[in-house]
């Protein structure tokens, strides 16, 4: 494997993952894993571990940017995060009892459809309308959505960021910027937990590829998050939709080559 190919592959993987994280709160695993597996011939388990590790800093920096611009719901985000973490384990256990089936394509296809949805039917909910929901109702909604997201992620093995964005905007009625900010806040913790378990169980990793992916993902996530927080709602919806559609098509293409 040449150093140049490694740098090029990780650059584009990090760019796609960073834009997806900063704009839509998506997991870097959706983009980085298939690129590393397809173009660098990396072991899938190691590729997912590197992708999750890349997610940690990118999501944390994005969450800080959204929080600085008052586009982050920490209280309900923490409640949802606990539900997601618990039921990810439940979903994984249930999946281990059933015959193996490739359901990864489901999350990729849903990413593409979600992108179309943001372009055709943008989320124009205001912060005033969002905060008018009673606190106790929001807590219950956060717990239920966290249970659903966690179980699906554990069972399918992917799609956490995409499912969170869908639930936060469609079910909880979040304004788009707050939805993305809350999503990346949760993803920073879930990605840290996932990457740590991958490295503990899987052992050694390719440090050079890991460092490149972390740096490139972090740079592009920061750029996307700054732009997203300055954009007006309609522009942000379209930009988010375009990023999701391109990522969906790109990852489906990677899976065909894999």
């Amino acid at each position: 494997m040449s150093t140049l190919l490694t740098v090029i592959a990780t650059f584009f993987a990090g760019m796609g993952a960073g834009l997806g994280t900063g704009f839509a709160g998506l997991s870097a695993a959706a983009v980085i894993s298939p690129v590393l597996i397809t173009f660098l011939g990396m072991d899938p388990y190691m590729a997912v571990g590197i992708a999750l590790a890349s997610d940690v800093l990118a999501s944390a920096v994005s969450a800080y940017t959204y929080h600085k611009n008052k586009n982050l719901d920490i209280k309900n985000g923490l409640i949802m995060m606990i539900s997601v973490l618990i039921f990810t384990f439940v979903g994984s256990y249930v999946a281990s009892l059933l015959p193996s089936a490739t359901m990864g394509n489901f999350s990729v296809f849903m990413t593409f459809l979600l992108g179309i949805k943001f372009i055709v039917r943008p989320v124009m909910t205001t912060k005033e309308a969002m905060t008018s929901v009673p606190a106790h109702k929001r807590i219950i909604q956060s717990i239920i959505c966290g249970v659903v997201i966690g179980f699906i992620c554990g069972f399918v093995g992917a799609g956490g960021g995409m499912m969170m964005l869908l639930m936060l905007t469609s079910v909880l009625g979040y304004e788009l910027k707050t939805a993305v900010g809350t999503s990346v806040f949760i993803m920073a913790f879930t990605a840290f937990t996932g990457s740590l378990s991958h490295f503990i169980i899987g052992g050694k990793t390719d440090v050079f590829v890991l460092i490149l992916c972390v740096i490139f993902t972090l740079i592009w996530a920061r750029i996307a998050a700054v732009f997203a927080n300055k954009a007006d709602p309609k522009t942000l919806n379209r930009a988010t939709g375009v990023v999701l559609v391109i990522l969906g098509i790109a990852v489906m293409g990677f899976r065909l080559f894999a």
Side-chain angles (χ1 to χ4, degrees), residues 170-204:
S170 301
V171 180
L172 275 73
Y174 273 48
E175 170 261 344
L176 184 56
K177 289 181 184 179
T178 308
V180 176
T182 306
S183 179
V184 289
F185 171 71
I186 296 171
M187 288 302 298
F189 291 94
T190 56
F192 177 76
T193 305
S195 62
L196 195 63
S197 63
H198 265 71
F199 291 138
I200 290 171
I201 296 168
K204 64 176 184 177

PDB file of all heavy atoms in Angstrom, residues 170-204:
ATOM      1  N   SER A 170     -38.140  15.047  12.999  1.00  0.00           N
ATOM      2  CA  SER A 170     -39.487  14.587  12.625  1.00  0.00           C
ATOM      3  C   SER A 170     -40.377  14.256  13.816  1.00  0.00           C
ATOM      4  O   SER A 170     -41.570  14.525  13.800  1.00  0.00           O
ATOM      5  CB  SER A 170     -39.386  13.349  11.708  1.00  0.00           C
ATOM      6  OG  SER A 170     -38.646  13.657  10.554  1.00  0.00           O
ATOM      7  N   VAL A 171     -39.790  13.651  14.867  1.00  0.00           N
ATOM      8  CA  VAL A 171     -40.598  13.208  16.019  1.00  0.00           C
ATOM      9  C   VAL A 171     -40.586  14.248  17.141  1.00  0.00           C
ATOM     10  O   VAL A 171     -41.635  14.641  17.649  1.00  0.00           O
ATOM     11  CB  VAL A 171     -40.101  11.847  16.550  1.00  0.00           C
ATOM     12  CG1 VAL A 171     -40.946  11.400  17.754  1.00  0.00           C
ATOM     13  CG2 VAL A 171     -40.146  10.792  15.454  1.00  0.00           C
ATOM     14  N   LEU A 172     -39.404  14.721  17.519  1.00  0.00           N
ATOM     15  CA  LEU A 172     -39.313  15.681  18.620  1.00  0.00           C
ATOM     16  C   LEU A 172     -39.536  17.125  18.168  1.00  0.00           C
ATOM     17  O   LEU A 172     -39.646  18.018  19.001  1.00  0.00           O
ATOM     18  CB  LEU A 172     -37.954  15.570  19.324  1.00  0.00           C
ATOM     19  CG  LEU A 172     -37.866  14.495  20.419  1.00  0.00           C
ATOM     20  CD1 LEU A 172     -37.816  13.102  19.819  1.00  0.00           C
ATOM     21  CD2 LEU A 172     -36.646  14.704  21.288  1.00  0.00           C
ATOM     22  N   GLY A 173     -39.587  17.366  16.859  1.00  0.00           N
ATOM     23  CA  GLY A 173     -39.879  18.703  16.349  1.00  0.00           C
ATOM     24  C   GLY A 173     -38.781  19.721  16.587  1.00  0.00           C
ATOM     25  O   GLY A 173     -39.041  20.911  16.778  1.00  0.00           O
ATOM     26  N   TYR A 174     -37.511  19.269  16.562  1.00  0.00           N
ATOM     27  CA  TYR A 174     -36.400  20.189  16.766  1.00  0.00           C
ATOM     28  C   TYR A 174     -36.167  21.052  15.529  1.00  0.00           C
ATOM     29  O   TYR A 174     -36.358  20.602  14.404  1.00  0.00           O
ATOM     30  CB  TYR A 174     -35.110  19.412  17.052  1.00  0.00           C
ATOM     31  CG  TYR A 174     -34.889  19.055  18.504  1.00  0.00           C
ATOM     32  CD1 TYR A 174     -35.897  18.477  19.268  1.00  0.00           C
ATOM     33  CD2 TYR A 174     -33.661  19.271  19.118  1.00  0.00           C
ATOM     34  CE1 TYR A 174     -35.689  18.134  20.595  1.00  0.00           C
ATOM     35  CE2 TYR A 174     -33.439  18.919  20.443  1.00  0.00           C
ATOM     36  CZ  TYR A 174     -34.463  18.356  21.173  1.00  0.00           C
ATOM     37  OH  TYR A 174     -34.258  18.018  22.492  1.00  0.00           O
ATOM     38  N   GLU A 175     -35.737  22.274  15.762  1.00  0.00           N
ATOM     39  CA  GLU A 175     -35.242  23.133  14.693  1.00  0.00           C
ATOM     40  C   GLU A 175     -33.926  22.513  14.223  1.00  0.00           C
ATOM     41  O   GLU A 175     -33.188  21.915  15.018  1.00  0.00           O
ATOM     42  CB  GLU A 175     -35.066  24.541  15.282  1.00  0.00           C
ATOM     43  CG  GLU A 175     -34.344  25.523  14.413  1.00  0.00           C
ATOM     44  CD  GLU A 175     -32.901  25.669  14.787  1.00  0.00           C
ATOM     45  OE1 GLU A 175     -32.498  25.245  15.899  1.00  0.00           O
ATOM     46  OE2 GLU A 175     -32.156  26.203  13.952  1.00  0.00           O
ATOM     47  N   LEU A 176     -33.611  22.613  12.914  1.00  0.00           N
ATOM     48  CA  LEU A 176     -32.527  21.834  12.308  1.00  0.00           C
ATOM     49  C   LEU A 176     -31.174  22.051  12.984  1.00  0.00           C
ATOM     50  O   LEU A 176     -30.455  21.082  13.261  1.00  0.00           O
ATOM     51  CB  LEU A 176     -32.414  22.132  10.805  1.00  0.00           C
ATOM     52  CG  LEU A 176     -31.380  21.301  10.028  1.00  0.00           C
ATOM     53  CD1 LEU A 176     -31.624  19.812  10.190  1.00  0.00           C
ATOM     54  CD2 LEU A 176     -31.385  21.688   8.552  1.00  0.00           C
ATOM     55  N   LYS A 177     -30.791  23.289  13.262  1.00  0.00           N
ATOM     56  CA  LYS A 177     -29.480  23.540  13.859  1.00  0.00           C
ATOM     57  C   LYS A 177     -29.362  22.896  15.241  1.00  0.00           C
ATOM     58  O   LYS A 177     -28.341  22.296  15.579  1.00  0.00           O
ATOM     59  CB  LYS A 177     -29.222  25.047  13.962  1.00  0.00           C
ATOM     60  CG  LYS A 177     -28.981  25.728  12.626  1.00  0.00           C
ATOM     61  CD  LYS A 177     -28.707  27.210  12.802  1.00  0.00           C
ATOM     62  CE  LYS A 177     -28.560  27.905  11.457  1.00  0.00           C
ATOM     63  NZ  LYS A 177     -28.321  29.347  11.582  1.00  0.00           N
ATOM     64  N   THR A 178     -30.433  23.001  16.027  1.00  0.00           N
ATOM     65  CA  THR A 178     -30.420  22.396  17.362  1.00  0.00           C
ATOM     66  C   THR A 178     -30.407  20.874  17.262  1.00  0.00           C
ATOM     67  O   THR A 178     -29.780  20.191  18.076  1.00  0.00           O
ATOM     68  CB  THR A 178     -31.649  22.849  18.177  1.00  0.00           C
ATOM     69  OG1 THR A 178     -31.725  24.273  18.142  1.00  0.00           O
ATOM     70  CG2 THR A 178     -31.562  22.387  19.625  1.00  0.00           C
ATOM     71  N   ALA A 179     -31.090  20.338  16.256  1.00  0.00           N
ATOM     72  CA  ALA A 179     -31.111  18.885  16.041  1.00  0.00           C
ATOM     73  C   ALA A 179     -29.708  18.371  15.725  1.00  0.00           C
ATOM     74  O   ALA A 179     -29.255  17.367  16.293  1.00  0.00           O
ATOM     75  CB  ALA A 179     -32.069  18.534  14.902  1.00  0.00           C
ATOM     76  N   VAL A 180     -29.011  19.064  14.834  1.00  0.00           N
ATOM     77  CA  VAL A 180     -27.654  18.645  14.458  1.00  0.00           C
ATOM     78  C   VAL A 180     -26.699  18.825  15.642  1.00  0.00           C
ATOM     79  O   VAL A 180     -25.876  17.952  15.930  1.00  0.00           O
ATOM     80  CB  VAL A 180     -27.140  19.438  13.235  1.00  0.00           C
ATOM     81  CG1 VAL A 180     -25.693  19.062  12.928  1.00  0.00           C
ATOM     82  CG2 VAL A 180     -28.014  19.174  12.021  1.00  0.00           C
ATOM     83  N   GLY A 181     -26.811  19.952  16.346  1.00  0.00           N
ATOM     84  CA  GLY A 181     -25.957  20.200  17.506  1.00  0.00           C
ATOM     85  C   GLY A 181     -26.124  19.141  18.577  1.00  0.00           C
ATOM     86  O   GLY A 181     -25.139  18.644  19.143  1.00  0.00           O
ATOM     87  N   THR A 182     -27.378  18.772  18.851  1.00  0.00           N
ATOM     88  CA  THR A 182     -27.663  17.738  19.856  1.00  0.00           C
ATOM     89  C   THR A 182     -27.174  16.375  19.378  1.00  0.00           C
ATOM     90  O   THR A 182     -26.652  15.576  20.163  1.00  0.00           O
ATOM     91  CB  THR A 182     -29.177  17.682  20.155  1.00  0.00           C
ATOM     92  OG1 THR A 182     -29.622  19.001  20.527  1.00  0.00           O
ATOM     93  CG2 THR A 182     -29.482  16.714  21.286  1.00  0.00           C
ATOM     94  N   SER A 183     -27.318  16.118  18.080  1.00  0.00           N
ATOM     95  CA  SER A 183     -26.878  14.846  17.505  1.00  0.00           C
ATOM     96  C   SER A 183     -25.370  14.665  17.631  1.00  0.00           C
ATOM     97  O   SER A 183     -24.891  13.608  18.056  1.00  0.00           O
ATOM     98  CB  SER A 183     -27.303  14.758  16.033  1.00  0.00           C
ATOM     99  OG  SER A 183     -26.876  13.546  15.454  1.00  0.00           O
ATOM    100  N   VAL A 184     -24.583  15.699  17.275  1.00  0.00           N
ATOM    101  CA  VAL A 184     -23.115  15.570  17.360  1.00  0.00           C
ATOM    102  C   VAL A 184     -22.657  15.491  18.817  1.00  0.00           C
ATOM    103  O   VAL A 184     -21.648  14.835  19.120  1.00  0.00           O
ATOM    104  CB  VAL A 184     -22.367  16.711  16.630  1.00  0.00           C
ATOM    105  CG1 VAL A 184     -22.516  16.574  15.132  1.00  0.00           C
ATOM    106  CG2 VAL A 184     -22.815  18.091  17.095  1.00  0.00           C
ATOM    107  N   PHE A 185     -23.383  16.125  19.719  1.00  0.00           N
ATOM    108  CA  PHE A 185     -23.078  16.048  21.152  1.00  0.00           C
ATOM    109  C   PHE A 185     -23.189  14.597  21.626  1.00  0.00           C
ATOM    110  O   PHE A 185     -22.294  14.068  22.301  1.00  0.00           O
ATOM    111  CB  PHE A 185     -24.052  16.946  21.932  1.00  0.00           C
ATOM    112  CG  PHE A 185     -23.975  16.793  23.427  1.00  0.00           C
ATOM    113  CD1 PHE A 185     -22.875  17.276  24.123  1.00  0.00           C
ATOM    114  CD2 PHE A 185     -25.005  16.182  24.125  1.00  0.00           C
ATOM    115  CE1 PHE A 185     -22.799  17.145  25.508  1.00  0.00           C
ATOM    116  CE2 PHE A 185     -24.940  16.042  25.503  1.00  0.00           C
ATOM    117  CZ  PHE A 185     -23.837  16.521  26.198  1.00  0.00           C
ATOM    118  N   ILE A 186     -24.283  13.933  21.249  1.00  0.00           N
ATOM    119  CA  ILE A 186     -24.494  12.525  21.626  1.00  0.00           C
ATOM    120  C   ILE A 186     -23.462  11.632  20.937  1.00  0.00           C
ATOM    121  O   ILE A 186     -22.891  10.723  21.553  1.00  0.00           O
ATOM    122  CB  ILE A 186     -25.926  12.076  21.254  1.00  0.00           C
ATOM    123  CG1 ILE A 186     -26.959  12.871  22.054  1.00  0.00           C
ATOM    124  CG2 ILE A 186     -26.110  10.577  21.503  1.00  0.00           C
ATOM    125  CD1 ILE A 186     -28.393  12.667  21.605  1.00  0.00           C
ATOM    126  N   MET A 187     -23.202  11.908  19.641  1.00  0.00           N
ATOM    127  CA  MET A 187     -22.286  11.073  18.866  1.00  0.00           C
ATOM    128  C   MET A 187     -20.862  11.105  19.437  1.00  0.00           C
ATOM    129  O   MET A 187     -20.127  10.121  19.331  1.00  0.00           O
ATOM    130  CB  MET A 187     -22.256  11.526  17.405  1.00  0.00           C
ATOM    131  CG  MET A 187     -23.507  11.215  16.603  1.00  0.00           C
ATOM    132  SD  MET A 187     -23.922   9.458  16.555  1.00  0.00           S
ATOM    133  CE  MET A 187     -22.468   8.802  15.746  1.00  0.00           C
ATOM    134  N   ALA A 188     -20.450  12.223  20.034  1.00  0.00           N
ATOM    135  CA  ALA A 188     -19.102  12.306  20.608  1.00  0.00           C
ATOM    136  C   ALA A 188     -18.920  11.246  21.689  1.00  0.00           C
ATOM    137  O   ALA A 188     -17.869  10.588  21.766  1.00  0.00           O
ATOM    138  CB  ALA A 188     -18.862  13.701  21.188  1.00  0.00           C
ATOM    139  N   PHE A 189     -19.938  11.044  22.512  1.00  0.00           N
ATOM    140  CA  PHE A 189     -19.868  10.061  23.600  1.00  0.00           C
ATOM    141  C   PHE A 189     -20.023   8.627  23.082  1.00  0.00           C
ATOM    142  O   PHE A 189     -19.290   7.721  23.505  1.00  0.00           O
ATOM    143  CB  PHE A 189     -20.946  10.350  24.648  1.00  0.00           C
ATOM    144  CG  PHE A 189     -20.707  11.614  25.421  1.00  0.00           C
ATOM    145  CD1 PHE A 189     -21.284  12.810  25.027  1.00  0.00           C
ATOM    146  CD2 PHE A 189     -19.886  11.609  26.549  1.00  0.00           C
ATOM    147  CE1 PHE A 189     -21.055  13.982  25.739  1.00  0.00           C
ATOM    148  CE2 PHE A 189     -19.651  12.774  27.267  1.00  0.00           C
ATOM    149  CZ  PHE A 189     -20.242  13.968  26.857  1.00  0.00           C
ATOM    150  N   THR A 190     -20.985   8.419  22.186  1.00  0.00           N
ATOM    151  CA  THR A 190     -21.214   7.061  21.662  1.00  0.00           C
ATOM    152  C   THR A 190     -20.018   6.606  20.816  1.00  0.00           C
ATOM    153  O   THR A 190     -19.632   5.432  20.857  1.00  0.00           O
ATOM    154  CB  THR A 190     -22.507   6.993  20.827  1.00  0.00           C
ATOM    155  OG1 THR A 190     -22.455   7.970  19.781  1.00  0.00           O
ATOM    156  CG2 THR A 190     -23.726   7.263  21.682  1.00  0.00           C
ATOM    157  N   ALA A 191     -19.418   7.534  20.054  1.00  0.00           N
ATOM    158  CA  ALA A 191     -18.257   7.185  19.235  1.00  0.00           C
ATOM    159  C   ALA A 191     -17.058   6.838  20.122  1.00  0.00           C
ATOM    160  O   ALA A 191     -16.303   5.906  19.824  1.00  0.00           O
ATOM    161  CB  ALA A 191     -17.903   8.342  18.306  1.00  0.00           C
ATOM    162  N   PHE A 192     -16.883   7.580  21.219  1.00  0.00           N
ATOM    163  CA  PHE A 192     -15.784   7.299  22.144  1.00  0.00           C
ATOM    164  C   PHE A 192     -15.930   5.902  22.745  1.00  0.00           C
ATOM    165  O   PHE A 192     -14.975   5.123  22.789  1.00  0.00           O
ATOM    166  CB  PHE A 192     -15.740   8.349  23.259  1.00  0.00           C
ATOM    167  CG  PHE A 192     -14.683   8.082  24.296  1.00  0.00           C
ATOM    168  CD1 PHE A 192     -13.355   8.330  24.020  1.00  0.00           C
ATOM    169  CD2 PHE A 192     -15.034   7.566  25.534  1.00  0.00           C
ATOM    170  CE1 PHE A 192     -12.369   8.072  24.967  1.00  0.00           C
ATOM    171  CE2 PHE A 192     -14.056   7.294  26.488  1.00  0.00           C
ATOM    172  CZ  PHE A 192     -12.726   7.547  26.212  1.00  0.00           C
ATOM    173  N   THR A 193     -17.159   5.584  23.184  1.00  0.00           N
ATOM    174  CA  THR A 193     -17.428   4.267  23.766  1.00  0.00           C
ATOM    175  C   THR A 193     -17.172   3.161  22.746  1.00  0.00           C
ATOM    176  O   THR A 193     -16.540   2.143  23.042  1.00  0.00           O
ATOM    177  CB  THR A 193     -18.893   4.173  24.253  1.00  0.00           C
ATOM    178  OG1 THR A 193     -19.155   5.256  25.149  1.00  0.00           O
ATOM    179  CG2 THR A 193     -19.162   2.873  24.968  1.00  0.00           C
ATOM    180  N   GLY A 194     -17.682   3.371  21.520  1.00  0.00           N
ATOM    181  CA  GLY A 194     -17.528   2.372  20.468  1.00  0.00           C
ATOM    182  C   GLY A 194     -16.086   2.168  20.053  1.00  0.00           C
ATOM    183  O   GLY A 194     -15.627   1.033  19.890  1.00  0.00           O
ATOM    184  N   SER A 195     -15.332   3.267  19.879  1.00  0.00           N
ATOM    185  CA  SER A 195     -13.937   3.158  19.436  1.00  0.00           C
ATOM    186  C   SER A 195     -13.077   2.491  20.509  1.00  0.00           C
ATOM    187  O   SER A 195     -12.213   1.668  20.202  1.00  0.00           O
ATOM    188  CB  SER A 195     -13.365   4.532  19.092  1.00  0.00           C
ATOM    189  OG  SER A 195     -13.352   5.385  20.218  1.00  0.00           O
ATOM    190  N   LEU A 196     -13.325   2.845  21.765  1.00  0.00           N
ATOM    191  CA  LEU A 196     -12.560   2.263  22.870  1.00  0.00           C
ATOM    192  C   LEU A 196     -12.753   0.750  22.921  1.00  0.00           C
ATOM    193  O   LEU A 196     -11.784  -0.015  23.037  1.00  0.00           O
ATOM    194  CB  LEU A 196     -13.003   2.898  24.196  1.00  0.00           C
ATOM    195  CG  LEU A 196     -12.084   2.668  25.404  1.00  0.00           C
ATOM    196  CD1 LEU A 196     -10.718   3.301  25.164  1.00  0.00           C
ATOM    197  CD2 LEU A 196     -12.724   3.235  26.666  1.00  0.00           C
ATOM    198  N   SER A 197     -14.003   0.307  22.799  1.00  0.00           N
ATOM    199  CA  SER A 197     -14.282  -1.136  22.832  1.00  0.00           C
ATOM    200  C   SER A 197     -13.663  -1.840  21.630  1.00  0.00           C
ATOM    201  O   SER A 197     -13.150  -2.959  21.745  1.00  0.00           O
ATOM    202  CB  SER A 197     -15.792  -1.391  22.881  1.00  0.00           C
ATOM    203  OG  SER A 197     -16.424  -0.907  21.723  1.00  0.00           O
ATOM    204  N   HIS A 198     -13.664  -1.178  20.461  1.00  0.00           N
ATOM    205  CA  HIS A 198     -13.068  -1.766  19.266  1.00  0.00           C
ATOM    206  C   HIS A 198     -11.560  -1.957  19.435  1.00  0.00           C
ATOM    207  O   HIS A 198     -11.017  -3.010  19.083  1.00  0.00           O
ATOM    208  CB  HIS A 198     -13.336  -0.886  18.032  1.00  0.00           C
ATOM    209  CG  HIS A 198     -14.529  -1.304  17.244  1.00  0.00           C
ATOM    210  ND1 HIS A 198     -15.813  -1.136  17.710  1.00  0.00           N
ATOM    211  CD2 HIS A 198     -14.648  -1.916  16.036  1.00  0.00           C
ATOM    212  CE1 HIS A 198     -16.663  -1.605  16.805  1.00  0.00           C
ATOM    213  NE2 HIS A 198     -15.985  -2.081  15.788  1.00  0.00           N
ATOM    214  N   PHE A 199     -10.891  -0.948  19.990  1.00  0.00           N
ATOM    215  CA  PHE A 199      -9.434  -1.030  20.145  1.00  0.00           C
ATOM    216  C   PHE A 199      -9.043  -2.021  21.249  1.00  0.00           C
ATOM    217  O   PHE A 199      -8.015  -2.691  21.154  1.00  0.00           O
ATOM    218  CB  PHE A 199      -8.843   0.349  20.421  1.00  0.00           C
ATOM    219  CG  PHE A 199      -8.924   1.285  19.247  1.00  0.00           C
ATOM    220  CD1 PHE A 199      -9.269   2.617  19.413  1.00  0.00           C
ATOM    221  CD2 PHE A 199      -8.672   0.824  17.958  1.00  0.00           C
ATOM    222  CE1 PHE A 199      -9.337   3.478  18.317  1.00  0.00           C
ATOM    223  CE2 PHE A 199      -8.747   1.678  16.862  1.00  0.00           C
ATOM    224  CZ  PHE A 199      -9.082   3.005  17.040  1.00  0.00           C
ATOM    225  N   ILE A 200      -9.870  -2.112  22.290  1.00  0.00           N
ATOM    226  CA  ILE A 200      -9.585  -3.068  23.375  1.00  0.00           C
ATOM    227  C   ILE A 200      -9.759  -4.505  22.878  1.00  0.00           C
ATOM    228  O   ILE A 200      -8.923  -5.375  23.122  1.00  0.00           O
ATOM    229  CB  ILE A 200     -10.500  -2.804  24.594  1.00  0.00           C
ATOM    230  CG1 ILE A 200     -10.103  -1.487  25.274  1.00  0.00           C
ATOM    231  CG2 ILE A 200     -10.413  -3.956  25.595  1.00  0.00           C
ATOM    232  CD1 ILE A 200     -11.063  -1.035  26.350  1.00  0.00           C
ATOM    233  N   ILE A 201     -10.863  -4.738  22.144  1.00  0.00           N
ATOM    234  CA  ILE A 201     -11.156  -6.092  21.651  1.00  0.00           C
ATOM    235  C   ILE A 201     -10.278  -6.444  20.450  1.00  0.00           C
ATOM    236  O   ILE A 201      -9.737  -7.544  20.353  1.00  0.00           O
ATOM    237  CB  ILE A 201     -12.653  -6.211  21.263  1.00  0.00           C
ATOM    238  CG1 ILE A 201     -13.529  -6.023  22.507  1.00  0.00           C
ATOM    239  CG2 ILE A 201     -12.941  -7.564  20.605  1.00  0.00           C
ATOM    240  CD1 ILE A 201     -15.003  -5.836  22.191  1.00  0.00           C
ATOM    241  N   GLY A 202     -10.125  -5.488  19.530  1.00  0.00           N
ATOM    242  CA  GLY A 202      -9.411  -5.761  18.281  1.00  0.00           C
ATOM    243  C   GLY A 202      -7.905  -5.673  18.374  1.00  0.00           C
ATOM    244  O   GLY A 202      -7.194  -6.159  17.496  1.00  0.00           O
ATOM    245  N   GLY A 203      -7.385  -5.042  19.417  1.00  0.00           N
ATOM    246  CA  GLY A 203      -5.941  -4.932  19.572  1.00  0.00           C
ATOM    247  C   GLY A 203      -5.331  -3.843  18.712  1.00  0.00           C
ATOM    248  O   GLY A 203      -5.857  -2.736  18.631  1.00  0.00           O
ATOM    249  N   LYS A 204      -4.219  -4.153  18.051  1.00  0.00           N
ATOM    250  CA  LYS A 204      -3.437  -3.145  17.323  1.00  0.00           C
ATOM    251  C   LYS A 204      -4.218  -2.536  16.163  1.00  0.00           C
ATOM    252  O   LYS A 204      -5.122  -3.153  15.599  1.00  0.00           O
ATOM    253  CB  LYS A 204      -2.144  -3.763  16.794  1.00  0.00           C
ATOM    254  CG  LYS A 204      -2.354  -4.868  15.771  1.00  0.00           C
ATOM    255  CD  LYS A 204      -1.019  -5.347  15.237  1.00  0.00           C
ATOM    256  CE  LYS A 204      -1.226  -6.398  14.130  1.00  0.00           C
ATOM    257  NZ  LYS A 204       0.036  -6.838  13.535  1.00  0.00           N
TER     258      LYS A 204
END
